Amino acid sequence: MRDLLEKALKKGLSVTFSNENGFAVIRICKGDEVVASCSLGSADFRATVEESLQSLLLDLERKGN
């Protein structure tokens, strides 16, 4: 997961993790703007976070962010 976070930081993005209504939420921001986010289920948290973060970063690359 560290390499994914470093990849986001090198692109000038910030990544936040929070817990809302019992669900883990990942948000990727550029400045004050949320450019991607997702909510996670209750499966294996570490694997789910890594897969979701990778997916969000790939989507952002495709969009040119």
Side-chain angles (χ1 to χ4, degrees), residues 11-60:
K11 292 180 175 233
L13 303 169
S14 62
V15 179
T16 61
F17 300 90
S18 62
N19 190 332
E20 299 174 16
N21 298 321
F23 293 97
V25 177
I26 301 173
R27 286 191 179 84
I28 299 178
C29 300
K30 192 166 196 169
D32 291 334
E33 177 187 359
V34 176
V35 293
S37 67
C38 71
S39 159
L40 308 175
S42 60
D44 178 21
F45 181 76
R46 180 181 170 127
T48 304
V49 167
E50 288 185 32
E51 291 170 12
S52 298
L53 185 54
Q54 178 71 23
S55 177
L56 289 173
L57 289 171
L58 286 173
D59 286 346
L60 287 174

